[in-house]
Amino acid sequence: MSAIEEKRMYGDRREETVAYLATGQGVATVRVSGDQVGRFGLAHRTAARDVATADGAVVAATDEAVLVGPEEFESLGFGPAVAVGTDREDDVLAAGESGRVARYRDGEWTDLGTVGDVRAIADGFVAAADGVHRVDGDGLANAGLDAARDVATVEGVPLAASDDGLYRLGNGWLREREGSFRVVAGSGDHAHAATADELFERDGEAWTGVDLPVDEPVVGVDYGECVYAVTEAGTFLVEADPETTADGAGGWRSRSIGLPDVAALAVV
């Protein structure tokens, strides 16, 4: 898998961050420098359902195949997929409409098992209608919970978004917030989660609401130089750091990319 070429933009010395979106029209790119959203466009035209990064490459679940890019998107031979992600070794995981979950390693797919209605894959966990499943060797182990929509790990601790709450795995699944959550993401000690109506961030042990400049459902959050988010309607958001912005102002910047039916976000 090829790594994304590092570029510079806006004439300054910041490296460009490239965000990839799974949209109904294809895999889209959004190029960001600091908190400034720059060029965007379609990198590959096909109905995309999910997108993830693995070892510097971009992997997309589409109606046709699991594709790998970012420069030339090519099929990995899995077939139509509904979700992609990685295990704890950064190997690609993918799921099909039938619930088949498989791992791609050394040019081959190994089936790990079948679960009901996969919604998301991250960090060796699978969120599905019949709960959260953990990759265990060459198989899957049921980790409990019901109606999981998304999953992430923060400092090694799994978090799950489900139809009846936001959960953390401790001595069993412990509910941190009530509500119907659809998105959860984490990196380092950062964590965000979203319902259809609101985005939350975790500050220490508490989850607090985030004041966004748009009233649209957030479908993806990821991390890089800044915190990035995207809405289903195609608004890309960047959280500005007041210590690095020219005007010293924080908060969220937003820009519509004109591509609706966004399903996922991944940042290289």
Side-chain angles (χ1 to χ4, degrees), residues 88-150:
R88 282 157 286 184
E89 304 300 322
D90 215 25
D91 291 319
V92 174
L93 302 175
E97 289 185 340
S98 65
R100 170 199 173 202
V101 178
R103 177 175 56 214
Y104 187 77
R105 178 182 291 171
D106 297 330
E108 296 183 352
W109 289 99
T110 299
D111 286 353
L112 303 178
T114 301
V115 300
D117 188 11
V118 176
R119 279 80 177 266
I121 300 173
D123 304 324
F125 288 88
V126 178
D130 59 357
V132 176
H133 304 262
R134 174 175 51 84
V135 176
D136 186 8
D138 288 334
L140 297 173
N142 192 309
L145 210 57
D146 293 318
R149 293 284 175 182
D150 201 2

Side-chain angles (χ1 to χ4, degrees), residues 149-169:
R149 293 284 175 182
D150 201 2
V151 65
T153 59
V154 179
E155 297 182 312
V157 178
L159 300 174
S162 82
D163 286 350
D164 68 350
L166 177 63
Y167 289 84
R168 169 176 56 87
L169 185 59

Side-chain angles (χ1 to χ4, degrees), residues 182-205:
R182 55 193 293 178
V183 174
V184 64
S187 177
D189 58 356
H190 287 81
H192 288 77
T195 66
D197 303 313
E198 191 170 6
L199 177 67
F200 297 88
E201 63 179 348
R202 192 174 72 179
D203 182 12
E205 295 298 319

Side-chain angles (χ1 to χ4, degrees), residues 2 6 17 31 33 43 102 131 215 230 239 262:
S2 60
E6 294 181 351
T17 295
R31 301 177 184 278
S33 181
D215 185 19
V230 69
E239 186 180 32
V262 179

